[in-house]
C-alpha cells in the first residue's frame, strides 16, 4: 500500500455484500472518510474494524477534500466510503477524486455494490445501453429540462428517488415521457426487497393508494427507435418534396445524393421521390 485514496464500495443493504479486499483495506488504512460516521459505525462495528473515521459529506466536500489530500501527502492511507454502495456515484466523492487527480494523489477503486447496477440487472428492462440519472433535480425549471432530454433518450433510464418524492416523480415521468414500462425497485438486498414491473400509469395508480416506504430505484424503458423515426417522417411529410430536396442541396449535395437522403427521411423509395418531383 502507498499513500493513495481507496474508494471502498460498501453494502447497499445486506451487510454480507462486501468484498474481502474491502474489509482488509478498511482495517489497514490510517483513516476512513465517511459520508455519515454514525451510519458507517454500524458497518465497521459489525466487522470489528477499529480504524479512525472522519466525516466527508456534501457540506464540507471541498474544504475537507484538501485536508484529506494533505493527510495523504503526509504519508497516510485514506479510504472513502459512502452511506451505501460505491463512492463517487451520486455523492460528494466525485469532488475528492477530482482534487486527488489535481494534487497528484493516486486513486484506486475497490468495486462492489451499486444500487443503480443492481436495480438494472433485476429490472427485466434492456441492459445493453443505459443512462444513470441519479436523483432528478428539485428545481422546477432544471427538472423540466432534464425530463425533456430524457423524453427522446433511447437508452434504459435509471433514477433514484426517496419515498416522500416517489409519487410526484412518477407523475412527472408519466406526463413527460408517456406511458412506458417501468420497474420500481424498493429496498434492494434488504429484508423487504420488492420489484414491480408495470407501466408508468399503473405505477402512479398503485402508489396513490399504497403506503410508500424505503429507498427506490426506477428503471424505465427508453424511447422506441421506431417511434422516433415515425415522428421524423411525419415532420418531413409536412414539407413538400421540393423543399425537402432544397435542404440537402443547400448543404452541397448533388441531386442524386439528396434524393437518396430524402427517401431515407421519408421511408420511401428513391423512385418514389423521383416520381413525386416529376
Amino acid at each position: 500500500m502507498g499513500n493513495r485514496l481507496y474508494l471502498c464500495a460498501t453494502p447497499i443493504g445486506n451487510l454480507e455484500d462486501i468484498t474481502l479486499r474491502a474489509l482488509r483495506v478498511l482495517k489497514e488504512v490510517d483513516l476512513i472518510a465517511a459520508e455519515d460516521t454514525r451510519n458507517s459505525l454500524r458497518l465497521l462495528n459489525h466487522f470489528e474494524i477499529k480504524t479512525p473515521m472522519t466525516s466527508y459529506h456534501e457540506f464540507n466536500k471541498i474544504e475537507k477534500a484538501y485536508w484529506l489530500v494533505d493527510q495523504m501527502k503526509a504519508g497516510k492511507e485514506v479510504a472513502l466510503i459512502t452511506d451505501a454502495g460505491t463512492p463517487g456515484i451520486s455523492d460528494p466523492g466525485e469532488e475528492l477524486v477530482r482534487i486527488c487527480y489535481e494534487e497528484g494523489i493516486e486513486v484506486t477503486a475497490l468495486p462492489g455494490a451499486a444500487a443503480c447496477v443492481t436495480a438494472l440487472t433485476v429490472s427485466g428492462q434492456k441492459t445493453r445501453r443505459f443512462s444513470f440519472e441519479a436523483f432528478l433535480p428539485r428545481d422546477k425549471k432544471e427538472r423540466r429540462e432534464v425530463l425533456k432530454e430524457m423524453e427522446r433518450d433511447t437508452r434504459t433510464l435509471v433514477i433514484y428517488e426517496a419515498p416522500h418524492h416517489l409519487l410526484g416523480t412518477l407523475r412527472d415521468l408519466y406526463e413527460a415521457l408517456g406511458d412506458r414500462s417501468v420497474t420500481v425497485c424498493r429496498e434492494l438486498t434488504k429484508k423487504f426487497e420488492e420489484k414491480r414491473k408495470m407501466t408508468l400509469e399503473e405505477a402512479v395508480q398503485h402508489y396513490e393508494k399504497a403506503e410508500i416506504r424505503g429507498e427506490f430505484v426506477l428503471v424505465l424503458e427508453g424511447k422506441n427507435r421506431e417511434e422516433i423515426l415515425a415522428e421524423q417522417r411525419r415532420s418531413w411529410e409536412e414539407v413538400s418534396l421540393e423543399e425537402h430536396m432544397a435542404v440537402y442541396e443547400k448543404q452541397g449535395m448533388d441531386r442524386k445524393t439528396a434524393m437518396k437522403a430524402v427517401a431515407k427521411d421519408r421511408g420511401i423509395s428513391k423512385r418514389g421521390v423521383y416520381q413525386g418531383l416529376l
Side-chain angles (χ1 to χ4, degrees):
M1 295 171 75
N3 53 332
R4 68 180 76 174
L5 176 69
Y6 293 87
L7 305 176
C8 292
T10 54
I12 58 175
N14 192 312
L15 290 180
E16 293 178 359
D17 294 333
I18 190 166
T19 68
L20 294 174
R21 183 181 173 212
L23 291 175
R24 176 180 61 78
V25 168
L26 289 172
K27 288 176 182 177
E28 292 179 356
V29 293
D30 300 293
L31 184 64
I32 296 171
E35 192 173 5
D36 184 336
T37 53
R38 293 166 301 177
N39 181 66
S40 296
L41 191 60
R42 174 172 163 261
L43 174 73
L44 299 189
N45 285 342
H46 182 80
F47 290 106
E48 299 181 351
I49 297 169
K50 308 297 183 185
T51 307
M53 270 195 297
T54 188
S55 63
Y56 179 75
H57 49 69
E58 185 64 31
F59 303 104
N60 70 356
K61 62 184 179 183
I62 303 298
E63 179 187 352
K64 194 61 173 280
Y66 283 105
W67 182 85
L68 289 168
V69 164
D70 287 342
Q71 300 302 303
M72 288 181 275
K73 283 183 174 178
K76 287 190 176 180
E77 302 285 349
V78 176
L80 177 67
I81 60 176
T82 183
D83 280 351
T86 299
I89 301 293
S90 190
D91 77 11
E94 65 177 317
E95 293 293 344
L96 177 55
V97 172
R98 177 182 63 79
I99 290 168
C100 280
Y101 272 87
E102 291 174 358
E103 298 292 324
I105 298 293
E106 186 178 350
V107 180
T108 190
L110 280 63
C116 55
V117 174
T118 303
L120 182 68
T121 57
V122 299
S123 68
Q125 307 290 352
K126 293 179 180 177
T127 61
R128 191 177 71 85
R129 297 171 65 249
F130 68 95
S131 170
F132 175 55
E133 296 292 336
F135 290 90
L136 293 180
R138 302 258 49 99
D139 177 79
K140 287 183 178 179
K141 183 182 177 184
E142 190 182 354
R143 191 179 179 92
R144 280 197 302 269
E145 289 170 355
V146 170
L147 286 168
K148 191 174 180 180
E149 290 173 8
M150 290 169 60
E151 195 275 328
R152 293 185 65 79
D153 197 333
T154 58
R155 296 169 295 182
T156 298
L157 304 164
V158 183
I159 301 165
Y160 288 166
E161 195 48 277
H164 52 291
H165 290 308
L166 177 70
L167 185 55
T169 293
L170 287 170
R171 285 171 174 159
D172 286 350
L173 289 168
Y174 178 47
E175 185 179 336
L177 311 183
D179 196 19
R180 60 179 71 175
S181 175
V182 61
T183 306
V184 181
C185 302
R186 184 178 78 90
E187 294 291 88
L188 287 167
T189 78
K190 299 177 186 176
K191 184 178 180 181
F192 298 106
E193 177 179 307
E194 180 181 68
K195 285 90 62 185
R196 291 180 175 273
K197 191 169 187 279
M198 47 193 160
T199 67
L200 277 170
E201 183 180 18
E202 289 169 342
V204 169
Q205 291 171 353
H206 174 78
Y207 288 103
E208 281 176 339
K209 299 170 185 174
E211 185 178 12
I212 302 175
R213 286 184 178 181
E215 298 302 314
F216 290 83
V217 186
L218 310 177
V219 187
L220 286 138
E221 74 170 327
K223 179 99 168 179
N224 185 288
R225 286 180 180 276
E226 290 303 317
E227 217 176 300
I228 292 175
L229 287 172
E231 287 174 4
Q232 290 172 344
R233 285 167 185 162
R234 282 196 295 272
S235 66
W236 279 121
E237 285 168 4
E238 293 173 8
V239 301
S240 68
L241 280 171
E242 289 80 4
E243 291 170 322
H244 199 162
M245 284 286 292
V247 169
Y248 290 115
E249 288 177 331
K250 283 177 183 176
Q251 293 174 15
M253 284 188 188
D254 61 56
R255 195 154 180 82
K256 186 177 179 182
T257 307
M259 286 173 65
K260 189 175 180 181
V262 168
K264 185 177 179 182
D265 287 344
R266 291 178 175 255
I268 60 178
S269 67
K270 199 163 69 172
R271 182 179 177 83
V273 175
Y274 177 75
Q275 288 177 334
L277 291 169
L278 286 178

